[in-house]
Amino acid sequence: MFAAERRQLILEMVRANGAVSLRELARVVQTSEVTVRRDVRALEAEGLLDRRHGGAVLPGGFTRESGFPQKAHLATAEKTAIADLAASFVEEGEAIVVGAGTTTQELARRLARVPGLTVVTNSLLVAQALAHANRVEVVMTGGTLRGSNYALVGSGAEQSLQGLRVSKAFLSGSGLTAERGLSTSNMLAASVDRALVQAAAEVVVLADHSKIGTDTMFQTVPTDLITRLVTDDPPAHDDRAVTELQALADQGVQVSVAGAQEGTSGGDTAPARQQRRDMPLPGPRRQVPGAGLRAATALGEQNGGAERARVADLRRR
């Protein structure tokens, strides 16, 4: 087994279990503890995990979050596929909100081609990706800059979103489970994400398979409020992610898997030759209190032209 393959398997084991001993890692990857220790040291240098006496653990557990430089190099192919598919759910002339994250940054790069789009965001990276898109209007929230992920957070960001209504919110996070929904490890980021959700009629979560089944400290979007999950196909040995995806679908979340081979589930083709399959839902979704009113309000304002007026008012603040 090559070093890159060993390290990927080690990383997936630590993500799945939270903490794994060097002895167990060596047994699974079928090599010596000396080699595993060297692999763990290399992964720690990249900020992907932490070494502990006799083993490896997730970086910081619930309290510490990897910075942008570390996240930018994680699951790049998966993020690209997810962003390609997520962009196919955005239509010309829509007004949407896009949260902070490396996956949403990839999405923003593709949204630059959507004419008449209005994007409200608290992410400097999202705004930068759209800065030269002539046909896209970008509206930044207020707030205090959080340097680790180049996002605006705090009461200023939350207050600037009050009264806003858009069609969709595109969010990422640190973890996603069927039990708690989307979560993140930072309280300020979670609070702003909740405000973004309140502004949208539909919530689309972007999460690669490594985040599926992972739970972190602060809940941002409960499962009941997630309209759609866009993810990638988990590896065949990742039973946890497969089980969680089915549980999310059972609770009414529309699960769209990017990168599926044509013909696996109908061969539905999205833009940019992106293949997709949707997991079947069990039936009509249970009604979330206030969700119907929120969706109806958003649609009415959009048809009446009030949505852009609200966005313009937010920009003038």
Side-chain angles (χ1 to χ4, degrees):
M1 184 182 295
F2 294 106
E5 295 174 330
R6 282 199 319 270
R7 291 171 186 176
Q8 182 62 35
L9 182 55
I10 289 170
L11 186 58
E12 289 175 356
M13 287 184 62
V14 174
R15 285 173 175 168
N17 297 281
V20 186
S21 69
L22 291 179
R23 179 178 300 177
E24 179 65 9
L25 291 172
R27 184 188 67 80
V28 172
V29 301
Q30 298 181 347
T31 188
S32 68
E33 289 189 27
V34 173
T35 300
V36 167
R37 186 177 292 107
R38 186 165 55 246
D39 290 334
V40 168
R41 188 179 296 114
L43 291 168
E44 183 184 45
E46 297 179 37
L48 304 180
L49 50 75
D50 287 344
R51 284 183 298 163
R52 291 292 183 270
H53 181 68
V57 300
L58 289 174
F62 282 168
T63 59
R64 189 177 120 199
E65 182 181 29
S66 299
F68 172 76
Q70 291 79 29
K71 290 182 178 181
H73 298 291
L74 289 175
T76 54
E78 291 85 348
K79 291 174 183 177
T80 297
I82 290 169
D84 284 340
L85 180 52
S88 70
F89 299 118
V90 180
E91 300 178 358
E92 294 185 12
E94 272 195 296
I96 63 175
V97 294
V98 179
T102 53
T103 310
T104 52
Q105 180 189 25
E106 286 296 324
L107 170 63
R109 290 172 177 149
R110 288 143 182 83
L111 296 181
R113 301 188 292 267
V114 182
L117 191 65
T118 299
V119 177
V120 181
T121 185
N122 69 318
S123 169
L124 299 186
L125 298 175
V126 169
Q128 182 184 42
L130 294 168
H132 300 292
N134 295 329
R135 298 178 295 177
V136 178
E137 183 178 11
V138 180
V139 181
M140 294 290 298
T141 69
T144 302
L145 178 63
R146 183 168 175 252
S148 62
N149 65 345
Y150 301 94
L152 297 172
V153 297
S155 60
E158 296 169 38
Q159 290 173 9
S160 65
L161 292 164
Q162 291 180 2
L164 180 70
R165 289 293 181 270
V166 297
S167 58
K168 298 182 183 76
F170 291 86
L171 300 175
S172 187
S174 302
L176 176 67
T177 66
E179 181 180 0
R180 290 187 71 220
L182 188 66
S183 61
T184 186
S185 55
N186 182 268
M187 181 174 62
L188 294 175
S191 186
V192 174
D193 280 354
R194 285 193 288 267
L196 292 172
V197 168
Q198 291 300 315
E202 299 179 13
V203 178
V204 182
V205 171
L206 314 182
D208 67 77
H209 71 269
S210 68
K211 298 178 181 179
I212 308 301
T214 299
D215 196 7
T216 52
M217 184 173 288
F218 300 100
Q219 183 191 57
T220 57
V221 190
T223 307
D224 284 347
L225 294 184
I226 300 175
T227 308
R228 182 184 297 274
L229 165 65
V230 184
T231 187
D232 63 295
D233 238 339
H237 63 270
D238 194 347
D239 294 335
R240 180 191 62 164
V242 173
T243 300
E244 284 291 337
L245 288 177
Q246 188 58 60
L248 286 162
D250 290 344
Q251 294 194 41
V253 177
Q254 301 173 49
V255 179
S256 296
V257 181
Q261 294 298 315
E262 186 172 5
T264 56
S265 182
D268 189 5
T269 304
R273 300 183 299 278
Q274 173 66 54
Q275 299 300 323
R276 147 189 161 206
R277 64 179 172 86
D278 293 338
M279 298 184 68
L281 298 179
R285 189 171 191 176
R286 62 182 179 274
Q287 186 66 35
V288 180
L293 176 61
R294 187 175 69 190
T297 302
L299 182 60
E301 290 177 353
Q302 191 173 17
N303 292 340
E307 180 181 18
R308 287 190 176 277
R310 290 180 182 274
V311 172
D313 178 64
L314 174 63
R315 187 176 55 180
R316 287 194 296 268
R317 296 183 186 182

